[in-house]
């Protein structure tokens, strides 16, 4: 079952609305996005609480660089989410509505394929593990970092982190759905071009190209609407890699200098690996997007009946970005993940070298 089936789409929009990302939700009974004044009031209160939580944590963690940078990166994500929630254009809502309409009108009930199914269930699994980790085990770990006003600080941290997690989840599944639609259009085009003697071949091909043109517009909208949020989420994930990596190296280089129980040391290592895998999964779906786009070009190039209609669309396809591009600057792909992991490791080692004498003492 596709991720944009009525029940799953409704669940996702309600989860993002619960964390203050949107003032609307998807109604499976009417197959439409609905907004309400009650939800707007809820989001306004939620955003006010997030601002207060951010101000409180920023003030209470000034002496702790590690936590203060974490709060800064989560705060940047929160600011982008609040802005997109209240903007008049409602670009993300239009993007989601366009994808849902295409899914339900043309591709409902069609299988996604093993690659997309695997990535869908893998992301759901990682998201569930992260929710459990943050709400059940993270408080035990954070107690030594924020001993004063612990419960207030943890409530503020949960409020901010849940918004970060909802933003990352929404970004992933919008990209996942674009990959699904692109794959199904490719399959349909392959079938039409392989059977040259079928009726209404030209009309069916024109319909495929119209759908692909709509998808290209939605892809451009995705790149422009979600670029800022994605950059802040990547910055936050990279900082988590640095801080957890610092403690792992500290366990190896100066184990007596870190006051962590064996279970918390396992938690730190597990969190480091989980965040790295989350980064990899996020960019892995982007690599799949690029693969499907390359398949589209190959289908148009290899057909033995490359008429004028296909030639014009092939030119149009060549003028669009072949990958997911954030803010027209950063290419969101596996290379970006490896670069972030390498830079994070390098910064962690430099940080540990500067503190090594103090840790040994």
């Amino acid at each position: 079952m596709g991720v944009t089936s009525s029940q799953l789409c409704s669940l996702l929009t309600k989860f993002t609305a619960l964390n203050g990302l949107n003032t609307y939700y998807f109604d499976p009974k009417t197959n439409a996005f609905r907004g309400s004044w009650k939800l707007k009031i809820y989001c306004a209160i939620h955003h006010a609480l997030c601002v207060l939580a951010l101000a409180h944590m920023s003030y209470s963690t000034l002496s702790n660089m590690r936590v203060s940078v974490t709060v800064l990166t989560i705060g940047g994500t929160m600011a982008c989410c609040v802005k997109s929630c209240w903007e008049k254009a409602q670009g993300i809502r239009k993007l989601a509505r366009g994808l849902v309409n295409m899914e339900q009108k043309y591709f409902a009930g069609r299988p996604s394929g093993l690659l997309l199914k695997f990535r869908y269930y893998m992301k759901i699994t990682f998201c569930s593990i992260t929710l459990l980790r943050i709400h059940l085990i993270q408080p035990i770990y954070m107690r030594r970092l924020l001993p004063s006003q612990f419960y207030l600080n943890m409530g503020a941290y949960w409020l901010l982190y849940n918004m970060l997690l909802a933003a990352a989840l929404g970004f992933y599944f919008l990209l996942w759905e674009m990959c699904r639609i692109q794959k199904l259009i490719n399959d349909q085009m392959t079938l039409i071009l392989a059977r040259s003697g079928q009726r209404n071949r030209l009309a069916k091909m024109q319909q495929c190209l119209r759908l692909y043109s709509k998808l290209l517009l939605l892809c451009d909208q995705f790149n422009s609407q979600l670029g800022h949020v994605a950059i802040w989420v990547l910055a936050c994930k990279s900082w988590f890699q640095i801080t957890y990596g610092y403690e792992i190296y500290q366990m190896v280089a100066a184990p007596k200098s870190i006051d962590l129980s064996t279970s918390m040391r396992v938690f730190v290592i597990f969190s480091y690996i989980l965040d790295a895998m989350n980064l990899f999964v996020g960019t892995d779906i982007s690599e799949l997007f690029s693969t499907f786009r390359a398949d589209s070009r190959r289908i148009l190039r290899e057909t033995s009946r490359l008429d004028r209609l296909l030639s014009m669309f092939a030119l149009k396809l060549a003028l669009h970005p072949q990958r997911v591009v954030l803010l027209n600057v950063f290419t969101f792909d596996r290379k970006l993940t490896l670069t972030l992991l390498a830079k994070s490791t390098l910064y962690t080692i430099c940080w540990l070298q500067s503190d090594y004498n103090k840790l040994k003492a």
Side-chain angles (χ1 to χ4, degrees):
M1 184 167 55
V3 71
T4 52
S5 64
S6 299
Q7 295 81 4
L8 292 174
C9 185
S10 175
L11 183 63
L12 180 61
T13 53
K14 287 176 181 177
F15 177 73
T16 54
L18 181 65
N19 289 288
L21 267 68
N22 43 268
T23 58
Y24 55 86
Y25 65 96
F26 183 76
D27 187 358
K29 296 180 180 179
T30 60
N31 284 332
F33 286 88
R34 294 188 174 276
S36 66
W37 62 269
K38 293 180 181 179
L39 196 53
K40 289 183 179 179
I41 293 175
Y42 170 81
C43 284
I45 296 173
H46 187 278
H47 294 161
L49 290 174
C50 284
V51 171
L52 292 175
L54 182 65
H56 169 74
M57 290 203 71
S58 298
Y59 177 77
S60 61
T61 60
L62 284 175
S63 59
N64 191 329
M65 185 191 74
R66 173 182 177 176
V67 183
S68 62
V69 175
T70 302
V71 172
L72 175 65
T73 53
I74 297 179
T77 307
M78 183 206 74
C80 293
C81 292
V82 171
K83 177 181 177 297
S84 64
C85 179
W86 295 108
E87 66 179 1
K88 291 183 179 180
Q90 290 289 294
I92 297 179
R93 180 176 182 172
K94 292 178 181 177
L95 170 63
R97 184 169 58 228
L99 291 172
V100 168
N101 289 341
M102 289 183 69
E103 169 72 26
Q104 294 187 341
K105 190 173 181 180
Y106 301 103
F107 306 110
R110 296 179 60 180
S112 302
L114 290 177
L115 288 176
L116 285 172
K117 275 188 177 180
F118 174 71
R119 283 160 177 79
Y120 166 65
Y121 288 115
M122 188 165 55
K123 186 62 179 178
I124 289 293
T125 302
F126 284 156
C127 182
S128 302
I129 293 173
T130 301
L131 278 173
L132 293 174
R133 173 173 66 93
I134 293 301
H135 290 87
L136 297 180
I137 308 176
Q138 189 78 13
I140 304 173
Y141 172 77
M142 293 288 288
R143 183 179 286 275
R144 69 185 183 90
L145 298 176
L146 299 170
S148 62
Q149 297 180 326
F150 171 72
Y151 294 105
L152 182 60
N153 283 323
M154 278 310 305
Y157 184 81
W158 281 337
L159 196 66
L160 296 172
Y161 192 92
N162 285 343
M163 181 176 278
L164 170 76
L165 182 62
L169 193 65
F171 175 91
Y172 183 88
F173 281 122
L174 286 173
L175 183 55
W176 187 95
E177 181 59 28
M178 289 194 300
C179 288
R180 168 178 158 81
I181 292 176
Q182 191 168 234
K183 176 190 179 299
L184 294 178
I185 293 177
N186 285 347
D187 294 343
Q188 195 168 338
M189 287 172 60
T190 303
L191 186 63
I192 292 172
L193 294 173
R195 300 177 181 178
S196 58
Q198 63 180 312
R199 288 185 177 183
N200 302 324
R201 177 176 178 271
L202 181 60
K204 292 180 180 179
M205 179 56 68
Q206 286 177 338
Q207 183 186 24
C208 280
L209 298 187
R210 280 196 297 269
L211 290 176
Y212 214 128
S213 297
K214 290 181 182 179
L215 181 62
L216 289 176
L217 293 176
L218 292 174
C219 291
D220 292 340
Q221 195 173 351
F222 176 88
N223 292 338
S224 61
Q225 289 291 329
L226 295 168
H228 294 87
V229 174
I231 293 299
W232 279 107
V233 171
L234 287 173
C236 189
K237 292 293 184 181
S238 299
W239 182 249
F240 286 154
Q241 288 296 108
I242 291 172
T243 54
Y244 287 131
Y246 179 87
E247 289 192 332
I248 291 173
Y249 285 119
Q250 190 178 351
M251 294 175 200
V252 176
K256 294 182 179 180
S257 65
I258 184 169
D259 184 19
L260 279 178
S261 63
T262 303
S263 58
M264 284 297 100
R265 295 188 184 208
V266 173
F267 169 75
V268 169
I269 297 172
F270 174 75
S271 298
Y272 180 85
I273 296 173
L274 183 66
D275 285 337
M277 292 181 69
N278 262 320
L279 268 176
F280 179 80
V281 169
T283 50
D284 189 51
I285 192 68
S286 180
E287 288 288 335
L288 203 59
F289 175 89
S290 305
T291 301
F292 291 146
R293 184 63 61 86
D295 289 342
S296 301
R297 297 199 308 272
R298 178 185 55 79
I299 291 168
L300 296 175
R301 186 173 60 248
E302 292 181 356
T303 177
S304 59
R305 295 175 175 268
L306 191 61
D307 53 19
R308 183 180 178 184
L309 177 67
L310 297 181
S311 299
M312 291 175 62
F313 185 78
L315 177 61
K316 181 178 181 179
L317 186 62
L319 296 176
H320 280 77
Q322 306 305 312
R323 296 177 175 271
V324 178
V325 181
L326 305 176
L327 305 178
N328 293 323
V329 177
F330 302 100
T331 302
F332 188 69
D333 55 9
R334 197 171 296 153
K335 183 179 178 181
L336 178 63
T337 301
L338 297 176
T339 302
L340 287 175
L341 292 176
K343 295 294 184 182
S344 301
T345 304
L346 178 62
Y347 186 87
T348 303
I349 294 173
C350 293
W351 188 8
L352 185 64
Q353 284 180 335
S354 65
D355 293 349
Y356 184 72
N357 291 329
K358 182 177 66 175
L359 295 175
K360 290 296 288 185

